[in-house]
Amino acid sequence: MAERLPSSLQWGLFLAVLLSSIVMFEPAPTDVLMVIVTVIAVVYGVLRYSASQSFGVFCILLLLLANILSLFFVQNAEVGLFYFIVTLYLSVMWFGIVGLGGRYFEKVLTTVIQAYVFTAIICAILGLAVYFQIIPIVNDWLLFGRVKLFFKDPNVYGPFLVLPSIYAILSFEQTKRFFWLCCFFVLVSGMTISFSRAAWLNIVISIVIYLIFAKQGEGINRIKLVFGMAVISILLLIFYTQFTGLDDQLSDRMSLQHYDNDRFAMQKEALITGLKNPIGIGPGQSEILFPLAPHNLYARILTENGFLGFTSFCAFLIVSIIKSFQSSRQLGSYSSYYVMISAVIIGHVANSFFIDSLHWRHLWLILALAWIPIRLEKEG
């Protein structure tokens, strides 16, 4: 029989994830709470790791080692140390959630997902209300006419809504409640007004992969779902473009931006710099060395943390996808959760070719979920 997750840890974890949508400054409220939860878990000795999680642990430790080695080559020690501390914290958060999941299994999985989905729905509703001026506009919640709310950038706000969008599809297929279909379109609408092209790519890839591999809702029901979603999406798009003035901003974002060529040039320069510096130039040094940030996770890690950092993190992403797909093949009511997690990680992997996502709290949450074992697998 599975152990019961202590209520103090459960509520602490729920609140920490609930506040993960407020990351305008560092340390964010979620950072403080997650550290407290992890420290309590360590003090009471409730973290548990299994051999199946050892490769993920090994990859994270190698990434941290690569950060430490590259710190010796920084141009700005203060920036480098701060950037490394954030990476270290996110790694500790991953260890904490995975360790709790190794002991309490699906209770940790559902607690994190429920809190994440709840705060994302609130963010999407609030974002729509701000963008369409249903409530007074707060300047700090917009950036160049794009919704970002409590995030530093619309390019983070948009991807934050991807997993909850897939969860809404999953829940609708399981419960057939119209509420979840409404949530899906609210979340996707919220993502749309972030005007993040990478987020749009992210959600399309995630939905396609989920619909292909999810076991539930196969056959005619899945066809009906896809057809219904397509029809409603078209109607919503017509409504938005014809009656809200959204069409001009959408068409502008769909075209090549004046800064795109500069971004691609910086990515090329970052790759060249990374190849010339096998140990890396140090955490957080890209903004100092280059006129623009590379806006590419992989180019940034290669440049800043060298071959070791690049290899370890890419291996970590790949094995996280494999682990979640393996868990999705297990029989049980949570198998679809792991299909969702796999799909969303793949979507974020694609997203990360166009934006640096290393310090996205929600990405590390999702990566942690991929390593929580299913209880049947653990006991068997």
Side-chain angles (χ1 to χ4, degrees):
M1 185 175 178
E3 298 180 63
R4 184 175 178 272
L5 178 63
S7 58
S8 59
L9 285 175
Q10 183 175 359
W11 281 107
L13 183 61
F14 185 90
L15 186 58
V17 177
L18 194 69
L19 294 175
S20 64
S21 58
I22 305 175
V23 287
M24 291 185 295
F25 48 84
E26 293 175 316
T30 183
D31 300 341
V32 177
L33 276 172
M34 198 65 77
V35 167
I36 293 173
V37 169
T38 303
V39 168
I40 293 174
V42 170
V43 169
Y44 284 95
V46 296
L47 301 181
R48 180 182 296 169
Y49 303 93
S50 64
S52 65
Q53 298 164 326
S54 58
F55 187 80
V57 172
F58 180 66
C59 287
I60 295 298
L61 292 177
L62 282 182
L63 175 65
L64 294 176
L65 176 61
N67 272 265
I68 293 171
L69 291 175
S70 63
L71 271 172
F72 290 98
F73 300 93
V74 297
Q75 293 184 17
N76 187 312
E78 183 179 352
V79 171
L81 187 59
F82 180 79
Y83 199 87
F84 168 66
I85 289 173
V86 176
T87 303
L88 177 63
Y89 154 70
L90 292 168
S91 302
V92 170
M93 182 185 76
W94 183 88
F95 279 113
I97 294 175
V98 170
L100 285 172
R103 189 181 188 103
Y104 302 108
F105 306 103
E106 68 274 4
K107 194 60 181 176
V108 174
L109 181 74
T110 55
T111 297
V112 171
I113 291 177
Q114 287 169 1
Y116 186 173
V117 171
F118 181 77
T119 193
I121 292 172
I122 297 300
C123 280
I125 293 172
L126 187 58
L128 289 166
V130 169
Y131 184 81
F132 292 114
Q133 301 181 23
I134 298 172
I135 62 176
I137 292 178
V138 178
N139 290 331
D140 287 344
W141 292 358
L142 297 174
L143 184 67
F144 304 119
R146 300 166 59 191
V147 174
K148 70 177 186 70
L149 285 189
F150 312 115
F151 295 85
K152 291 181 179 180
D153 194 303
N155 291 320
V156 187
Y157 169 71
F160 179 78
L161 302 178
V162 172
L163 183 140
S165 300
I166 307 301
Y167 181 82
I169 298 175
L170 183 158
S171 298
F172 177 73
E173 288 192 309
Q174 287 183 340
T175 66
K176 301 297 187 267
R177 292 179 180 172
F178 186 67
F179 167 79
W180 286 112
L181 198 59
C182 292
C183 286
F184 171 77
F185 288 107
V186 167
L187 288 161
V188 171
S189 297
M191 187 184 316
T192 301
I193 57 174
S194 73
F195 297 100
S196 170
R197 293 167 293 173
W200 298 343
L201 174 67
N202 188 339
I203 187 65
V204 169
I205 291 174
S206 299
I207 289 175
V208 169
I209 292 175
Y210 173 78
L211 292 176
I212 290 173
F213 289 101
K215 294 177 182 178
Q216 61 187 25
E218 293 177 347
I220 191 66
N221 289 331
R222 178 60 54 78
I223 295 173
K224 288 179 179 178
L225 174 65
V226 173
F227 179 76
M229 287 170 56
V231 170
I232 297 175
S233 297
I234 292 171
L235 292 175
L236 277 175
L237 187 61
I238 292 172
F239 171 78
Y240 284 142
T241 55
Q242 295 299 317
F243 300 103
T244 66
L246 198 65
D247 53 334
D248 291 337
Q249 201 164 358
L250 277 174
S251 60
D252 177 64
R253 291 298 298 170
M254 291 296 289
S255 60
L256 194 68
Q257 301 298 300
H258 64 87
Y259 52 75
D260 285 335
N261 289 332
D262 293 333
R263 282 187 177 183
F264 294 136
M266 285 303 101
Q267 291 175 11
K268 180 180 178 181
E269 185 66 26
L271 289 172
I272 293 172
T273 303
L275 294 174
K276 290 180 179 178
N277 297 270
I279 299 179
I281 63 173
Q285 301 303 296
S286 293
E287 282 88 348
I288 296 171
L289 185 63
F290 307 121
L292 292 173
H295 287 277
N296 181 304
L297 169 66
Y298 314 105
R300 178 161 198 156
I301 290 183
L302 177 63
T303 303
E304 295 187 350
N305 306 132
F307 296 161
L308 179 61
F310 176 80
T311 304
S312 58
F313 194 74
C314 287
F316 175 62
L317 289 176
I318 293 169
V319 179
S320 296
I321 294 169
I322 294 172
K323 282 288 296 181
S324 50
F325 264 123
Q326 287 175 340
S327 296
S328 74
R329 299 299 97 184
Q330 301 283 334
L331 296 176
S333 57
Y334 295 97
S335 61
S336 294
Y337 281 54
Y338 288 94
V339 178
M340 171 185 70
I341 293 165
S342 306
V344 173
I345 294 175
I346 293 172
H348 278 71
V349 166
N351 197 145
S352 298
F353 278 99
F354 306 100
I355 196 73
D356 170 26
S357 59
L358 183 62
H359 286 174
W360 290 1
R361 273 66 173 173
H362 75 271
L363 176 58
W364 284 84
L365 281 174
I366 297 165
L367 289 169
L369 296 179
W371 292 86
I372 294 177
I374 289 181
R375 197 192 319 173
L376 181 64
E377 178 188 52
K378 181 81 176 177
E379 294 177 352

